[in-house]
Amino acid sequence: MDIHNELKKAAREGFVRAVELRRIAASAGIDPASAERAALEAGIVPERYRRNGATISIEQQLKLLDSTAAVIGCGGLGGYVVEELARLGVGRITAIDPDVFEEHNLNRQLFSDEPSLGRPKVASAAARIALVNPAVKIVPLYERFTADSAERQLLGSAVVVDALDSVPVRRELAAACTRLGIPLVHGSIAGWFGQVAVQYPGESTLEELYAGYKGERGVEERLGNPAFTPAVVASLETAEACKIILGIESELRRRVLMIDLLAMSFETISLG
Amino acid sequence: MNDITVTVKLFATLREGRFDIRTMSFFPGATVADVVRILEIPEKEVSLILY
């Protein structure tokens, strides 16, 4: 079948609905991502991306579809990051987390619910994303990020998103990203507070931020995390990840954004 | 030499029992470590680590 002809027949005012894309993909024997790619290449926008509007051009939507993002941690931050990357249309998402959902995750972790308690977080993430956007290939890795496995886990990613809950592992991740030449979006949260930074290959931003720190976890151990802080910080991280994929320079390069939701202040500190 | 005027901003939990922003006078050559000492911020809290 002539896919482009079928897409043009199915399109309405430059947009094509998911049900039509599924029909065309099934008829042509291709996967949903290939159908989306064919549509975008023909200048037809899948209806699901209509409200990306002028913010994301067709060329950029194609770039997102053909890109891989790795999200390290699939809890408070990572759940929202995976969800937003998938809705944005990033074609391949590697989600890494060795944990299962526990009851104390329910106050903030997007993919957690009572039936999922005891289930691997990445399994819930994969199930959710399959429902949200079947064009997105999610690769759930029910395992820890380690320096030794970094190459297998991260290579091929356009960007890595830090959604970890351990300072030493975060530093290992930053070192691995430098070694592999992958930009890293860092985010961390505690209570009303959060911070976001971007580290490009060759930079030592994370080492500078956490210089001298000897412990495992930060002030979050005392402050905990309410529902809204991970959502805010994860969204900021996703915005930076989106820009990195699209080749837009991050304003958080060599800077750290300090977020205080109690004072409702956002301040950027230069790292020199 | 005259004292120097410094704007000190504290973030997150460092504000607890202190302030968020204040203009302070310090002796010439004062360092961030001096500010931390005068504000009685425990050394282990200086590198604020979020989770």
Side-chain angles (χ1 to χ4, degrees), chain A residues 100-102 106 109 111-121 124:
Chain A
V100 299
F101 283 118
E102 298 179 67
L106 290 171
Q109 299 195 10
F111 299 142
S112 69
D113 50 34
E114 290 199 9
S116 71
L117 298 182
R119 187 184 196 199
K121 294 179 180 181
S124 288

Side-chain angles (χ1 to χ4, degrees), chain A residues 165 189 210 219-220 260 267, chain B residues 9 12 15 47 49-51:
Chain A
D165 59 2
I189 49 177
Y210 291 102
V219 290
E220 190 275 349
D260 181 338
E267 300 207 40
Chain B
K9 275 188 181 181
R15 292 176 174 175
S47 178
I49 303 299
L50 302 181
Y51 178 30

Side-chain angles (χ1 to χ4, degrees), chain A residues 163-177:
Chain A
L164 284 160
D165 59 2
S166 158
V167 174
V169 180
R170 176 171 285 138
R171 293 169 84 162
E172 284 185 21
L173 176 65
C177 286

Side-chain angles (χ1 to χ4, degrees), chain A residues 52 87 146 181 243-244:
Chain A
N52 283 352
R87 289 187 185 274
T146 66
K243 283 188 261 182
I244 288 169

